Amino acid sequence: MKDKQNVFKEENLNAFMGLTKPHWIEARETLQKLLDKSNPTIQNDKDLRERAFVKQSEAQMHVPADIGDYTDFYSSIHHATNVGIMFRGKDNALLDNWKYLPVGYHGRSSSIVISGTPITRPLGQTLPVEGAAPHFGPCRLMDFELEMAAFVGGPPTKLGERVTAQEAGDRIFGFVLMNDWSARDIQKWEYIPLGPFTAKNLGTTISPWIVTIEALRPFVTDNFPQEPEPFPYLKHDDKFNFDIKLEVDITPEKTPVATTVCRSNYRYMYWTVKQQLAQQTVTGCNLRPGDLLGSGTISGETSDSFGSMLELAWKGTKPIRLLNGEERKFIQDGDTVTLRGYCENEGVKIGFGKCEGKLLPAVPLE
Amino acid sequence: MKDKQNVFKEENLNAFMGLTKPHWIEARETLQKLLDKSNPTIQNDKDLRERAFVKQSEAQMHVPADIGDYTDFYSSIHHATNVGIMFRGKDNALLDNWKYLPVGYHGRSSSIVISGTPITRPLGQTLPVEGAAPHFGPCRLMDFELEMAAFVGGPPTKLGERVTAQEAGDRIFGFVLMNDWSARDIQKWEYIPLGPFTAKNLGTTISPWIVTIEALRPFVTDNFPQEPEPFPYLKHDDKFNFDIKLEVDITPEKTPVATTVCRSNYRYMYWTVKQQLAQQTVTGCNLRPGDLLGSGTISGETSDSFGSMLELAWKGTKPIRLLNGEERKFIQDGDTVTLRGYCENEGVKIGFGKCEGKLLPAVPLE
């Protein structure tokens, strides 16, 4: 792709993402060759070495793409079931549509920030007492959501064009970690009937390094069994699920000891990202390279693998004990929340880096 | 603003919108002076005249800004009440939160298209029989939604920054007409619990010319009376409602006679656009110039002023008779839907142009 070198001079990855999968693979293989210890090209060229590498300690990370549109899905069956049990009881936990389509909603692009950006506890309306008047003030139930998000690649599609799950593989560029910060009490009051709004646009943190699908290939695992069988547009033959270990730490401000409160795994996803992309476009919605598809909170089967404080502390009824002796039902001011992700097998390890943010106290209205 | 002239050389209006209200007013006054019949500057300069004007018949219209984020509100009380009566009965028509905050949700930016762009009837999942399995196929309840949308202006805000309703006036650049095409049957099946998704991202049509707030000043009218009194962040002292007459025509393909099926008015809005902007940012969501805020469907009090087929034909129970003798419950293939808007008083008339789209038949899955 000699005529496409300009994509690497851009401020973000959109132009590179907007090429095709063979281009992405070529770029990856070229880098692998150049970085191989038997290859002298960079190693023996001091000048090139200095131009090619930036010290991690001197690098300022940025959101890697201009995100045109961001969608958040709700595709972990354990998470959806947990939330359903809490709010509707065990018999009605999963809503009727959940196993027929990947439920999702459009999110806010502007408030997606890079790991390290502080998040401010929001003010908003809540309904502390059912049937009474709502209250305005700081959110009291601030939560994280352990998610991963996929960047969409490939040339833009046209309005009216569909991408089926079978075709979607060439359009998933790669993954980052994502913390979909959530103001639970604000969400509960505002979300009927049009969905979450201001409870989610106070900040969404992603990790800076995109791990491409090619890099994840060695960690492909079985898709989650689906019953009923999906409609044809949602079906694909190949495995497109990944064994990605995920962890969440909470580090309080005063006694800064990190406690790992959650150990989950991307493989708990019921719907694959191919199916999510097919759902995104089924009515003809057009894609642009750099679009972001959030997985939804990724919870495993066991209570230590739940991907949010709402579930971990079960709506505040089972507080989590931190290593410094404190308890948490939700996130407190000064807490740093750190998501980590990695793949590991037979000695190969790939890391996603971290996705981190500190919660700052609310700023009152003047 | 001699040092800001570069904003007019951009491909879209974002840079101009990103300046401040005094800049917008200066640009408007300069144009008004230059176009005044007593001003010879352009009139007497053939070369300048040729450079300054483009024939309407030769102009290709475009979406006027790069829309970073698009939010759609639900702020007409008559619309929300009508929909509520249809789906929940008269006693529970308005949900508890509706009069406390401007309910809204994030929409899809990529699928916002300019007037004249055809819209394809989407395929999707629907639930024709309650309790049975869903069905996949063409949408059967295709609808328009008569809306207006405001472009956000001013410099970008920071994450964590709020704009109260009182401060929001300097951040509303101007209005366009908007048809929020809606696949009602798809929406009904998919929207619980996270809101409308693919039922709305199949295409959203806007008119190309933005009418600025300054131009609308002579048509300011009383705000809609609000009870209960809004929270302080949602309060503003001034009138910020506008008398904008709105009409919707349906023109069938075979006997192309236009029937005006709806005559409504922007002044029916319960929540002002200042209040919508305050709600958008209350939890700290950052704004970028070019963001778009949809009003939600604007319905008046009488049945001929309802802003959607869902309401006009009352869920299909009262079909609308067109001038060519046909009936409509929803939009049919080949129908062109045209929104028009204008302000008029004491001889002054300001038009919004038109917001038009033709519905093309569904394209089956291959």
Side-chain angles (χ1 to χ4, degrees):
Chain A
M1 56 165 194
K2 280 187 183 148
D3 59 330
K4 304 286 186 193
Q5 295 299 315
N6 60 309
V7 301
F8 298 115
K9 293 182 181 157
E10 299 288 328
E11 281 195 352
N12 52 45
L13 288 175
N14 293 70
F16 179 50
M17 289 171 171
L19 301 178
T20 68
K21 199 169 171 177
H23 293 100
W24 310 334
I25 292 174
E26 187 188 328
R28 181 165 189 266
E29 288 174 349
T30 305
L31 285 174
Q32 284 178 321
K33 270 182 218 156
L34 287 169
L35 295 172
D36 190 282
K37 61 182 170 185
S38 70
N39 186 316
T41 314
I42 301 181
Q43 288 188 62
N44 295 357
D45 184 336
K46 182 162 180 282
D47 181 52
L48 182 56
R49 229 164 49 222
E50 277 172 9
R51 283 191 294 139
F53 294 108
V54 176
K55 276 191 188 168
Q56 206 172 354
S57 59
E58 289 168 10
Q60 164 78 48
M61 294 294 146
H62 296 280
V63 174
D66 178 11
I67 299 167
D69 278 291
Y70 152 52
T71 302
D72 199 20
F73 287 91
Y74 185 55
S75 293
S76 149
I77 193 164
H78 303 306
H79 170 68
T81 304
N82 285 340
V83 174
I85 290 171
M86 276 185 249
F87 293 100
R88 285 179 303 274
K90 217 159 190 166
D91 295 336
N92 300 300
L94 275 191
L95 290 164
D96 290 344
N97 56 9
W98 200 91
K99 285 190 165 183
Y100 286 97
L101 53 83
V103 170
Y105 66 105
H106 296 122
R108 179 88 186 176
S109 296
S110 74
S111 48
I112 297 174
V113 295
I114 202 65
S115 178
T117 309
I119 300 293
T120 305
R121 181 183 294 272
L123 305 187
Q125 292 188 33
T126 59
L127 191 72
V129 183
E130 285 287 340
H135 173 263
F136 182 79
C139 162
R140 276 162 297 187
L141 308 179
M142 199 52 197
D143 205 351
F144 69 83
E145 289 195 332
L146 168 62
E147 302 201 17
M148 298 200 67
F151 275 98
V152 172
T157 62
K158 291 200 186 97
L159 189 68
E161 196 178 323
R162 283 180 293 262
V163 179
T164 65
Q166 192 73 346
E167 299 159 342
D170 291 351
R171 294 209 157 262
I172 306 299
F173 181 81
F175 283 97
V176 292
L177 302 170
M178 183 166 99
N179 180 355
D180 181 26
W181 298 88
S182 298
R184 298 285 177 208
D185 44 355
I186 295 172
Q187 182 176 343
K188 194 179 173 195
W189 171 237
E190 76 173 359
Y191 91 108
I192 292 177
L194 300 182
F197 178 38
T198 66
K200 298 280 192 172
N201 66 21
L202 54 101
T204 309
T205 310
I206 62 172
S207 57
W209 292 98
I210 305 172
V211 177
T212 64
I213 295 298
E214 283 313 295
L216 291 172
R217 288 256 166 250
F219 308 98
V220 161
T221 185
D222 286 346
N223 300 332
F224 205 100
Q226 297 185 324
E227 175 58 41
E229 197 180 348
F231 282 105
Y233 79 96
L234 288 172
K235 274 169 92 166
H236 59 92
D237 304 329
D238 57 333
K239 294 183 187 182
F240 214 79
N241 195 9
F242 303 96
D243 180 9
I244 306 171
K245 293 167 182 66
L246 300 169
E247 297 173 356
V248 183
D249 288 356
I250 294 178
T251 310
E253 192 168 34
K254 285 181 190 163
T255 42
V257 184
T259 304
T260 301
V261 296
C262 161
R263 291 173 211 273
S264 186
N265 195 305
Y266 182 78
R267 71 183 161 83
Y268 292 122
M269 294 282 288
Y270 183 90
W271 295 104
T272 70
V273 66
K274 284 190 175 189
Q275 294 177 314
Q276 292 174 337
L277 191 83
Q279 186 62 24
Q280 177 75 59
T281 65
V282 64
T283 54
C285 177
N286 51 325
L287 301 170
R288 293 178 293 194
D291 287 345
L292 194 70
L293 307 179
S295 60
T297 307
I298 305 167
S299 295
E301 289 160 292
T302 56
S303 60
D304 58 345
S305 66
F306 296 165
S308 66
M309 289 303 290
L310 178 69
E311 297 163 85
L312 288 165
W314 206 257
K315 232 178 152 181
T317 61
K318 298 176 183 173
I320 296 285
R321 182 165 294 277
L322 303 184
L323 291 177
N324 72 354
E326 295 180 18
E327 283 192 344
R328 286 291 180 279
K329 294 176 178 176
F330 287 91
I331 303 301
Q332 290 191 8
D333 291 347
D335 284 356
T336 295
V337 178
T338 309
L339 277 54
R340 276 173 286 118
Y342 59 97
C343 302
E344 192 167 24
N345 68 18
E346 294 153 22
V348 182
K349 188 169 177 177
I350 295 181
F352 281 78
K354 60 185 180 178
C355 173
E356 189 169 272
K358 182 175 179 173
L359 184 65
L360 305 183
V363 180
L365 272 181
E366 276 159 23
Chain B
M1 58 167 193
K2 280 187 182 146
D3 60 328
K4 303 286 187 193
Q5 296 299 316
N6 60 310
V7 300
F8 299 113
K9 292 181 182 157
E10 299 289 327
E11 279 196 353
N12 52 45
L13 287 176
N14 293 70
F16 178 51
M17 289 172 170
L19 301 178
T20 67
K21 198 169 172 178
H23 294 99
W24 309 335
I25 292 174
E26 186 189 328
R28 182 166 190 264
E29 287 174 352
T30 306
L31 285 174
Q32 284 177 320
K33 271 183 216 154
L34 288 168
L35 295 171
D36 191 282
K37 62 182 169 186
S38 70
N39 186 317
T41 315
I42 301 180
Q43 288 189 63
N44 296 357
D45 184 337
K46 184 163 178 282
D47 181 53
L48 182 57
R49 229 164 48 221
E50 277 171 8
R51 283 192 295 138
F53 295 107
V54 176
K55 276 191 188 167
Q56 207 173 354
S57 59
E58 289 167 10
Q60 164 78 48
M61 294 294 145
H62 297 280
V63 174
D66 179 11
I67 300 167
D69 279 292
Y70 152 52
T71 302
D72 199 20
F73 287 90
Y74 186 55
S75 294
S76 149
I77 193 164
H78 302 306
H79 171 67
T81 305
N82 284 339
V83 174
I85 290 172
M86 277 185 249
F87 292 101
R88 286 179 302 274
K90 216 157 191 168
D91 295 337
N92 300 300
L94 275 190
L95 290 164
D96 289 345
N97 56 10
W98 201 90
K99 284 191 166 183
Y100 286 97
L101 54 83
V103 170
Y105 66 106
H106 296 122
R108 179 89 187 176
S109 296
S110 75
S111 48
I112 297 175
V113 295
I114 203 63
S115 179
T117 309
I119 300 293
T120 305
R121 180 184 293 273
L123 305 186
Q125 290 189 33
T126 59
L127 191 72
V129 182
E130 285 287 341
H135 173 262
F136 182 79
C139 162
R140 276 161 298 187
L141 308 179
M142 200 51 197
D143 205 352
F144 68 84
E145 291 196 329
L146 167 62
E147 301 200 18
M148 299 201 66
F151 275 99
V152 172
T157 62
K158 292 200 184 96
L159 189 68
E161 196 178 323
R162 283 179 292 261
V163 179
T164 64
Q166 191 74 347
E167 299 159 342
D170 290 353
R171 294 208 156 263
I172 307 299
F173 181 81
F175 284 96
V176 293
L177 302 170
M178 184 166 99
N179 180 356
D180 181 27
W181 297 89
S182 299
R184 298 284 177 208
D185 44 355
I186 294 172
Q187 182 176 343
K188 195 179 172 195
W189 172 236
E190 76 173 358
Y191 92 108
I192 290 175
L194 300 182
F197 177 39
T198 67
K200 298 281 194 171
N201 66 21
L202 53 101
T204 309
T205 310
I206 63 172
S207 57
W209 292 98
I210 305 172
V211 177
T212 64
I213 295 299
E214 284 312 296
L216 290 173
R217 288 256 166 250
F219 308 99
V220 161
T221 185
D222 286 346
N223 300 331
F224 205 99
Q226 297 185 325
E227 174 59 39
E229 196 179 350
F231 282 106
Y233 79 94
L234 288 172
K235 273 168 93 165
H236 60 91
D237 304 329
D238 57 332
K239 294 183 188 182
F240 214 79
N241 196 9
F242 303 96
D243 180 10
I244 306 171
K245 293 166 183 65
L246 301 168
E247 297 173 356
V248 183
D249 289 356
I250 294 178
T251 310
E253 193 169 34
K254 285 181 189 162
T255 42
V257 184
T259 303
T260 302
V261 296
C262 161
R263 290 172 212 274
S264 185
N265 195 307
Y266 182 78
R267 71 183 162 81
Y268 292 122
M269 294 283 288
Y270 183 90
W271 295 102
T272 69
V273 67
K274 284 189 174 187
Q275 294 176 314
Q276 292 175 337
L277 191 82
Q279 185 63 24
Q280 177 74 59
T281 65
V282 65
T283 55
C285 176
N286 51 324
L287 300 171
R288 294 178 292 194
D291 286 346
L292 194 69
L293 307 178
S295 60
T297 307
I298 305 167
S299 295
E301 289 160 294
T302 57
S303 60
D304 59 345
S305 66
F306 296 166
S308 66
M309 288 304 289
L310 178 68
E311 297 162 86
L312 288 165
W314 206 257
K315 233 178 151 182
T317 60
K318 298 176 182 173
I320 295 284
R321 183 164 292 277
L322 303 184
L323 290 177
N324 72 355
E326 294 179 20
E327 283 192 343
R328 285 293 179 280
K329 295 175 177 176
F330 287 91
I331 304 300
Q332 290 191 8
D333 291 348
D335 285 355
T336 295
V337 177
T338 309
L339 278 53
R340 276 172 286 120
Y342 60 96
C343 302
E344 191 168 25
N345 69 16
E346 294 153 22
V348 182
K349 189 168 176 176
I350 295 180
F352 281 77
K354 60 185 183 179
C355 173
E356 190 169 271
K358 183 176 179 173
L359 183 66
L360 305 182
V363 180
L365 273 181
E366 277 156 26

